Every structure is written in structure tokens, then in C-alpha cells.
Amino acid sequence: MTSTFRQTVRANLAKPEVRANFYRAMDGLMTRRLDQFPDKAELERLRTQSMAIRANALSKLPELLETLEANLTRNGIQVHWAETPEQGNQIVQAILERHNAKSIIKGKSMVSEEMGMNHFLEALGIECLESDLGEFIIQLDGETPSHIIMPAIHKNRIQIAKLFHQKFPDIPYTEDVDELTQTARRILRDKFYAAPVGLSGVNFMVAETGTLCLVENEGNGRMSTTAPPVHIAVTGIEKVVESLSDVPPLLSILTRSATGQPITTYFNMISSPRKVGEKDGPEEVHLVLLDNGRSNIYSDPELLATLRCIRCGACINHCPVYVRIGGHSYGTVYPGPIGSILEPQKAGLDVHGELAQASTLCGACSEVCPVRIPIPSILNRLRYDGVRKDAANTNTVGSGKRRTLSEAATWKTWAWAATHPTIYHAGSTLATRFKGMLPTNLGAWTTVRSAPKLAESTLHQQVKNLGVDHE
């Protein structure tokens, strides 16, 4: 792990209030998810079905994307392709300039976070306002999301109340959650009406019908996509499914896995801009399809499973590492287990390869993943790619960049000793005989556990205290 990552983790571990917020929130989410699946057999059938739907779509990805573009274009939706976040931002900029738009209202979109869109547009003097309540809160505080489903999950109601009072001093201070929510709605309502352009993410794209599906609870997504005269949707190329019949199983397992709800408050299906005679809806709809390393992931049969993700966050909610260090420790758009396999593949193992080490490999993530992504296996693959000698034999970006001569020499020596019984047993005997000479400080190892001889002396002391003859 890099020193920067370790320093960030240490800093966040030293924030007891934030850690308490995470523990409380994750416990609630895990319980609600469990309550939604009382029949384990039904859950496993739905997981298998959902995995098959996503695997089928990925197996036909190029063809489905072409079908999707053709049907969207036929429906009147303009499709744009972006290989990089920079290209995606330039496409959005061009649309805004064409409409002389100086502001944009956003529904929740992790891909826009991936593009760094807010900072890009603000640098151009364009106001970019988040309308999702969690995103609105962290935008006020100048932060990034700490969770892909609940961006402000690291804050409690008292922290949010103080933030609102600081940013809106004319509004009476309150710690009541409903009143805080109403305050945000009042602030955002006029913005929805005045914004010339609205932006949203996409949960599923249906190739068969040319339909964009958006799942949400607050109604801000529907407002962002219908009130402004122009709607821009941004998403990754992997979100496509083949047919409309693929959506219900995915929607069912998404909502139950993400927030423990049988269904969200809103499910939006966008198939065209406003038609003649219709009284609402945008006059223009644009879809920006972002690659950003996804095609490279697609080219590897083992890593391809990463793209099955439906962004439910269940793996994050059940991850013991995430719960303790929090989302901001990862320093990436996508935190937790899914971020630990996705981010290194997008940016490169030389940039985020340490995230593949930020796991206990306990397997909790793969046990709850609704589309059965083998996250521990992919983590092991990325760890191997990071240090492999034959880096040219894999497409993983940054492969071999984490290999060091000292580590390679250590493992080579160990492998040699382990294949020579006489040397191995002699070394084991010496290590046992002189264990009392081991230092008590073994670096990172002893920051979270006792050194071997300390553990041994502690055992002797415990036995002595019990009055038991250890011999």
C-alpha cells in the first residue's frame, strides 16, 4: 500500500464520530437487506437469473450497443460516444454552449463523478447543482461521495444540521430530519424550474426498445429529466441489457440489495424527448456513453465479470474494511470491494493497485453480490498482475508496476527453502530456538497484533496466573 493511502486510512480511523456513523448505517442496511430475502432459495434463484442476464448482455456487448444506438436515434434521442472522461466533459460542454446554458441541475450520477464533471463545468463558469439530497449535502461541504448509493452516509443529522445552518443562516436551526429535507427541497425547487439543462445517470439501457431506465427514491431524478428543456444522461457502456423483460429481475434484486426496499419510490423509463401534443418532458434528450477503460476490462475473460455490477452497493455495506476506514479512505469515485477491483483496472495498477490489497478476502462481498461477481478472485488476479514478471502477457493497465526487487528476492528465497526440506527444517528449528531474540516492533505487523514472543510471554503469564503447570 502506498504511504498516501496508509496516511488517509490512519486519519479516518482517528475519527470516532465518522466511524460510529458508518457502523450504525451499515448495520441498518444489512438488516434491511436480510429482511427482504426471507426465502434463501428464492434469493439464490434471483441472483443466478440476474447474473445470467448481465453475462448475456456482456457477451453481446458490441452488438447490443449498436442496436441501442439505432433504436435511441430512431426514438429521437441523440447518442454520443466518449472514450475518456475528458471527451465526455467536452460533449456536455458543447451541448450547454449550443443552448447558451449557464447552469445545470443534476440528478444522482456516479459516472458524472467519474468524469469530474462538476469541477470541469465550474471552471467554465457554469453552475452545477446537485439535486439528490445526499449529493447536495456533500456538495455544500465540498466533499465527494463516500458511498455509491448514499453519498453522505458518513454524516449524521447533527452534522448536517450544523452544515445547513452554516450555509443558510437565515433558515432556523433544526436537527429534525424531515425539516432538513424540506429545507433542501425548497432551495432546489426554483432551481428545477429555472435550469435550462438537467443531467442524470442511467441504471439500465434497453437495447430492444431504446429505453433509458432510472431508479430513484426522491423524485429529483424525474424533475431533472423532465422539467428542464434539455436532458443529458451519462452512463458507462456496460449498463445495456438486451430486452425489456430483463429489467424486472434486475430491478427487484437491485432495490432489495441496495436499500432493503421491495421497490423504489420512482422508476423512470425514458424513450424519447417530448412529442407533439405532450405537455411536459424535455425537448431534447442526449445520451453520453463513457468507456474510460471498460473496453480494456471487456477484453479479459476473467476480469470481464467486473462489468456485471449493477451498482447496488451491497458489497460495500457488508465489507469489514470499508465499515472501518470509510469511503473517503479509498481516494476514488467507487469505494469498497467494487472500487477495489474496478478502479485499478480503469486507472492502472500503478495508480490504484494498493486498493487490491485493502481486503481481508473474507468473501462477504461475493456472498451478497446480486450478480455473483467473484470479487475475491478478481482481487487475487489484480494482486498477481501488479507484481507479475511477464507483464506483457496481460492487458491489465499497470501490470508489473508494483513488483519490487526486494519482495521478489524474498519470495524466491522462501520458495527455494520450501522446496529443500533439510534447509527448511533447519531454518524452522533455528527460528523456534531463538524466537526470544525477535524484536517486539515488526513494523505494520505489530501495529494491529502482538509480536510472536510477546504473544508467547503473554500465554505463559496467563497460565501462571491460573496456577496451571504449563509443562
Side-chain angles (χ1 to χ4, degrees):
M1 296 182 183
T2 65
S3 59
T4 301
F5 181 70
R6 288 199 299 267
Q7 289 170 3
T8 305
V9 169
R10 289 195 189 102
N12 287 320
L13 288 174
K15 300 176 180 177
E17 186 175 27
V18 174
R19 293 184 68 190
N21 293 343
F22 274 111
Y23 274 113
R24 186 164 48 249
M26 296 301 106
D27 284 347
L29 288 169
M30 287 190 290
T31 299
R32 289 200 294 272
R33 174 192 173 276
L34 196 61
D35 290 343
Q36 286 297 319
F37 297 108
D39 185 344
K40 183 171 176 57
E42 187 262 345
L43 167 61
E44 296 308 318
R45 284 195 300 270
L46 188 55
R47 290 180 70 205
T48 299
Q49 182 183 12
S50 299
M51 177 189 71
I53 290 171
R54 293 297 297 128
N56 173 68
L58 291 173
S59 71
K60 306 174 182 177
L61 186 59
E63 297 87 348
L64 289 183
L65 287 173
E66 290 180 358
T67 301
L68 174 72
E69 180 181 27
N71 287 330
L72 286 170
T73 302
R74 185 197 65 208
N75 293 344
I77 296 176
Q78 301 176 49
V79 180
H80 311 266
W81 300 85
E83 186 174 351
T84 65
E86 292 76 19
Q87 290 179 3
N89 283 327
Q90 289 166 7
I91 291 168
V92 173
Q93 177 188 356
I95 297 170
L96 295 176
E97 289 178 348
R98 191 158 62 246
H99 292 276
N100 196 30
K102 298 300 180 182
S103 67
I104 183 172
I105 188 96
K106 288 181 61 190
K108 191 172 182 300
S109 167
M110 291 305 296
V111 169
S112 73
E113 296 285 347
E114 193 176 330
M115 294 165 59
M117 185 186 296
N118 288 17
H119 296 298
F120 175 82
L121 294 179
E122 287 165 2
L124 297 174
I126 298 173
E127 181 188 21
C128 194
L129 183 65
E130 298 284 355
S131 64
D132 174 85
L133 180 57
E135 293 278 2
F136 179 67
I137 290 168
I138 62 171
Q139 185 179 40
L140 287 177
D141 212 15
E143 293 182 326
T144 55
S146 60
H147 193 286
I148 64 174
I149 298 296
M150 291 146 290
I153 201 168
H154 56 289
K155 294 184 180 295
N156 58 40
R157 61 182 176 84
I158 297 175
Q159 292 171 314
I160 295 170
K162 291 178 179 178
L163 175 64
F164 272 42
H165 187 64
Q166 175 189 349
K167 298 295 182 178
F168 310 111
D170 295 337
I171 298 175
Y173 179 84
T174 179
E175 295 177 4
D176 182 85
V177 174
D178 290 335
E179 290 185 20
L180 290 169
T181 302
Q182 291 301 322
T183 296
R185 284 178 175 169
R186 284 193 296 271
I187 294 169
L188 291 169
R189 185 65 60 173
D190 290 339
K191 297 291 185 179
F192 282 122
Y193 181 77
V197 178
L199 185 137
S200 74
V202 179
N203 290 96
F204 311 112
M205 303 180 292
V206 184
E208 175 188 50
T209 58
T211 301
L212 309 179
C213 301
L214 181 60
V215 182
E216 54 151 338
N217 271 315
E218 299 174 18
N220 62 292
R222 182 164 294 184
M223 293 287 286
S224 299
T225 59
T226 57
V230 178
H231 169 214
I232 304 173
V234 294
T235 192
I237 59 173
E238 79 280 13
K239 292 293 187 68
V240 67
V241 295
E242 184 171 15
S243 63
L244 201 58
S245 62
D246 290 334
V247 174
L250 293 175
L251 175 62
S252 175
I253 202 164
L254 168 64
T255 58
R256 291 193 277 175
S257 297
T259 55
Q261 297 173 272
I263 189 67
T264 49
T265 309
Y266 298 93
F267 180 71
N268 308 292
M269 301 177 71
I270 303 165
S271 293
S272 73
R274 184 192 304 186
K275 296 178 180 178
V276 177
E278 292 182 340
K279 296 183 178 180
D280 59 9
E283 297 166 6
E284 284 186 21
V285 179
H286 298 262
L287 173 65
V288 180
L289 289 165
L290 179 67
D291 189 312
N292 194 26
R294 288 164 173 82
S295 290
N296 191 60
I297 298 172
Y298 177 79
S299 68
D300 190 296
E302 183 178 7
L303 301 178
L304 171 64
T306 306
L307 299 179
R308 293 206 299 255
C309 179
I310 58 174
R311 304 294 191 270
C312 69
C315 63
I316 299 175
N317 300 342
H318 291 75
C319 178
V321 176
Y322 173 88
V323 172
R324 284 159 180 78
I325 69 175
H328 289 149
S329 294
Y330 293 82
T332 54
V333 172
Y334 303 98
I338 187 59
S340 293
I341 62 172
L342 180 59
E343 295 288 1
Q345 295 183 69
K346 290 199 296 100
L349 291 167
D350 51 334
V351 179
H352 291 310
E354 72 271 19
L355 297 185
Q357 305 290 338
S359 171
T360 64
L361 298 179
C362 67
C365 50
S366 60
E367 289 181 9
V368 299
C369 177
V371 289
R372 298 188 185 275
I373 300 173
I375 295 177
S377 297
I378 296 176
L379 285 170
N380 274 328
R381 162 66 188 278
L382 294 176
R383 292 179 181 184
Y384 170 60
D385 281 353
V387 298
R388 65 189 298 171
K389 193 174 182 179
D390 58 335
N393 293 332
T394 176
N395 289 332
T396 309
V397 181
S399 188
K401 296 294 186 179
R402 296 183 58 78
R403 182 181 180 87
T404 63
L405 291 176
S406 58
E407 186 176 3
T410 298
W411 285 113
K412 190 172 183 179
T413 301
W414 179 88
W416 176 82
T419 54
H420 292 77
T422 302
I423 299 297
Y424 186 84
H425 289 307
S428 299
T429 300
L430 288 173
T432 302
R433 183 167 298 176
F434 294 104
K435 63 185 176 183
M437 299 176 64
L438 286 173
T440 57
N441 185 357
L442 299 177
W445 178 268
T446 48
T447 60
V448 292
R449 57 180 67 80
S450 300
K453 77 170 187 177
L454 179 60
E456 183 71 13
S457 63
T458 301
L459 175 62
H460 278 285
Q461 185 62 47
Q462 290 174 343
V463 171
K464 183 177 179 181
N465 292 342
L466 291 171
V468 178
D469 185 358
H470 183 54
E471 299 298 323

